Amino acid sequence: KLVKNPVGIKPLTLAEASSIEIGQDVHAIGHPGDNAQWTYTRGLIGQIIKNYEWSYDDGIKRKAKMVIQSQTPIYGGNSGGPLLNDSGKVIGVNTFSGDYAGANYAVSVKDLKLFLNEKFTIPKAPPKTSKTSQASYDWDANVIRVSKGDYDRDGTKDTLYYIDDDNSGIWETILI
């Protein structure tokens, strides 16, 4: 969640949730990775689902007041990108793929507006420990946390370095 807009960047306009209809043309912009730097895809809304719950492999249940199912081709790197109407207004945020080919889902602008209206306080950076100070020196970066564990379950302990590139108190990068 941006605290303020970057200089020279104009945010996209948000549509009204009441404007979302089954059969409506929708457009996605994303960055799916590999050889496709940026992509534009187009599709149709197939379903509007209210009070939807889903989870990923992390076991955390997510909930949304309204989810848009469309046949707009999206890929992993499209997650977090906009789902737009024909006027270029954001109607949702592309979030996950479905359980059958061609079904992709976006959390609706209704939930996006609720999220944007939440109070958000920038956390203070945690105090430096001897581990984070040494890691900051070694990596020539602002390491705010170091953790060890067998995260990939291969029998060998991994070390994760959480790097705060913009000194906001929130890590942006993890080095393994």
Side-chain angles (χ1 to χ4, degrees), residues 4-84:
K4 64 179 183 175
N5 292 329
V7 175
I9 302 297
K10 181 181 175 208
L12 294 169
T13 303
L14 302 179
E16 292 301 321
S18 59
S19 71
I20 301 169
E21 298 178 352
I22 293 174
Q24 174 181 347
D25 283 333
V26 289
H27 313 268
I29 298 171
H31 186 8
D34 293 333
N35 294 325
Q37 294 298 311
W38 290 98
T39 61
Y40 160 81
T41 55
R42 181 178 176 185
L44 299 171
I45 294 177
Q47 187 176 19
I48 297 169
I49 309 165
K50 304 221 183 222
N51 300 314
Y52 190 74
E53 289 187 20
W54 73 100
S55 62
Y56 300 108
D57 292 338
D58 61 8
I60 298 170
K61 287 197 182 261
R62 278 103 172 146
K63 296 179 183 180
K65 292 191 178 297
M66 189 165 98
V67 171
I68 303 163
Q69 183 265 317
S70 76
Q71 289 77 34
T72 309
I74 62 170
Y75 308 94
N78 287 92
S79 294
L83 186 66
L84 307 164

Side-chain angles (χ1 to χ4, degrees), residues 74-95:
I74 62 170
Y75 308 94
N78 287 92
S79 294
L83 186 66
L84 307 164
N85 64 17
D86 280 339
S87 300
K89 291 183 180 179
V90 177
I91 63 167
V93 177
N94 295 313
T95 307

Side-chain angles (χ1 to χ4, degrees), residues 149-160 176:
D150 185 11
Y151 300 105
D152 58 3
R153 298 182 184 114
D154 67 353
T156 303
K157 276 199 172 184
D158 306 299
T159 304
L160 304 183
I176 302 172

Side-chain angles (χ1 to χ4, degrees), residues 139-173:
W139 288 101
D140 191 25
N142 183 23
V143 177
I144 61 172
R145 182 174 165 214
V146 177
S147 65
K148 292 185 180 230
D150 185 11
Y151 300 105
D152 58 3
R153 298 182 184 114
D154 67 353
T156 303
K157 276 199 172 184
D158 306 299
T159 304
L160 304 183
Y161 301 93
Y162 296 77
I163 298 176
D164 176 12
D165 293 318
D166 61 2
N167 296 310
S168 66
I170 303 169
W171 57 267
E172 290 83 27
T173 307

Side-chain angles (χ1 to χ4, degrees), residues 111-132:
D111 292 276
L112 179 57
K113 286 179 178 181
L114 290 171
F115 172 76
L116 291 173
N117 287 325
E118 286 180 0
K119 298 289 182 214
F120 179 77
T121 307
I122 298 174
K124 291 184 178 177
K128 288 283 189 186
T129 65
S130 59
K131 285 183 182 179
T132 57

